[in-house]
Amino acid sequence: MIAQEFRSHINELFGQLLIDFKEDEEYGFCNFSLNKYERIGYATNITPEIILQAAEKNVHLIVTHHDAWDFVYGMKEQCIELLKKHNIAHFYIHLPLDYVDFGTCNSLLKRLGVSSIVQQSRHFEGHSAIGIGEFDSSITLEKLVEKMTSLLGEKVYFQKNNNKKIKRIGMVTGAGNETTQLRDAMNSNCDVYITGEKNLYTIQYAKFINLNFIVGSHTFTEIFGVKSFAQKLQEKFKDIEILQLHEEHFEVTG
């Protein structure tokens, strides 16, 4: 796969979402001096550790959900230096990957075993609106927590705020830590709300409205969308190899 083919396929995969969200704010390229990519590594985040790991594994292109955050002071600059030093290209895609049909929310819902996507997660009034999925048959909250724990490979936080079984899931992967999103889940008759971050307000509000609540980590609620993206690239370009770059489970969810 050459660089121009990659860029063209990004346009095919994400279409209007690339227009709706600005390049370099919600998606972008770094160090595309290397023209051909045979091995692609994927991760949720770009960090110096991820780049060094990619260099050890002879990765030509790293694809991630997040760019290095400006407010993690100095990390973006170090990442750019390391990418140049090891001649590795980087592409990140944030909100477009959240809202595309194979993206973060739908990928996690499907891995949890939902039979239908009732509502696609989307951008609404400056916020991420919830995605909704349904199981064929209801399961207990405890069973769903067990599935989440096994799938993410980490302890998840949960609140059992009622005794109903779970059939309809409301979800925003990553930073879905707004009370508005829990309210939308309640108003959409969801039996549980799942996300990747929590705070005092969401904990209080979930309890107040008697809505079951599960929280994994930001990184690992979103990794399946990045994997789906990498697999889309491999489906198009049969000669490339994809591999997951290891990220630690350092986020506290319990």
Side-chain angles (χ1 to χ4, degrees):
M1 177 179 69
I2 62 172
Q4 187 54 50
E5 290 175 327
F6 176 74
R7 289 173 180 267
S8 296
H9 195 47
I10 295 301
N11 289 326
E12 293 172 9
L13 288 174
F14 294 97
Q16 182 63 36
L17 289 166
L18 299 182
I19 299 170
D20 294 341
F21 301 102
K22 292 181 180 179
E23 185 171 359
D24 296 329
E25 291 185 8
E26 294 299 339
Y27 64 96
F29 305 83
C30 182
N31 194 38
F32 268 67
S33 57
L34 183 67
N35 189 51
K36 188 174 182 180
Y37 317 115
E38 296 177 353
R39 180 172 293 174
I40 296 176
Y42 67 90
T44 302
N45 305 290
I46 189 74
T47 63
E49 293 79 12
I50 285 291
I51 297 168
L52 292 174
Q53 185 184 153
E56 290 178 2
K57 295 178 182 293
N58 196 29
V59 165
H60 306 126
L61 167 65
I62 302 171
V63 295
T64 65
H65 188 37
H66 302 138
D67 192 12
W69 307 106
D70 290 328
F71 45 80
V72 183
Y73 303 110
M75 191 168 75
K76 181 179 286 190
E77 292 78 7
Q78 186 174 351
C79 285
I80 291 170
E81 289 177 7
L82 286 170
L83 289 167
K84 290 178 179 177
K85 177 181 178 181
H86 295 284
N87 200 24
I88 300 172
H90 174 226
F91 176 73
Y92 68 93
I93 185 152
H94 188 215
L95 291 183
L97 185 60
D98 284 327
Y99 306 136
V100 74
D101 60 359
F102 59 85
T104 55
C105 184
N106 283 3
S107 290
L108 181 54
L109 284 169
K110 290 174 181 177
R111 290 295 294 266
L112 287 171
V114 303
S115 55
S116 62
I117 302 296
V118 176
Q119 177 173 291
Q120 174 81 35
S121 181
R122 67 198 187 284
H123 208 60
F124 180 70
E125 296 183 347
H127 302 276
S128 290
I130 64 171
I132 299 174
E134 284 191 353
F135 293 117
D136 276 334
S137 301
S138 298
I139 65 173
T140 64
L141 177 65
E142 290 78 7
K143 182 65 176 177
L144 183 55
V145 168
E146 184 182 316
K147 281 190 171 191
M148 279 279 292
T149 301
S150 175
L151 187 59
L152 273 59
E154 62 190 12
K155 181 180 179 182
V156 301
Y157 170 88
F158 72 98
Q159 290 176 245
K160 185 172 184 177
N161 291 319
N162 66 63
N163 291 316
K164 294 193 302 182
K165 286 192 172 183
I166 309 299
K167 186 175 178 66
R168 175 174 281 214
I169 297 173
M171 179 184 289
V172 173
T173 56
N177 54 0
E178 298 178 7
T179 53
T180 303
Q181 292 157 335
L182 277 89
R183 183 185 63 184
D184 290 346
M186 176 187 67
N187 290 339
S188 299
N189 298 314
C190 294
D191 303 308
V192 66
Y193 176 65
I194 295 176
T195 189
E197 288 190 6
K198 61 178 171 61
N199 54 36
L200 170 63
Y201 319 112
T202 49
I203 291 171
Q204 287 181 331
Y205 191 55
K207 183 176 181 180
F208 176 68
I209 63 177
N210 299 314
L211 180 65
N212 293 317
F213 187 32
I214 302 176
V215 187
S217 67
H218 195 136
T219 294
F220 288 94
T221 57
E222 298 198 309
I223 188 61
F224 302 103
V226 191
K227 182 177 183 178
S228 294
F229 172 40
Q231 289 172 333
K232 290 284 184 184
L233 293 174
Q234 192 173 48
E235 288 171 11
K236 176 72 173 181
F237 304 104
K238 307 295 185 184
D239 58 331
I240 67 170
E241 176 187 355
I242 63 171
L243 57 97
Q244 182 173 348
L245 299 170
H246 174 74
E247 296 181 83
E248 294 184 18
H249 293 266
F250 59 82
E251 297 171 67
V252 176
T253 57

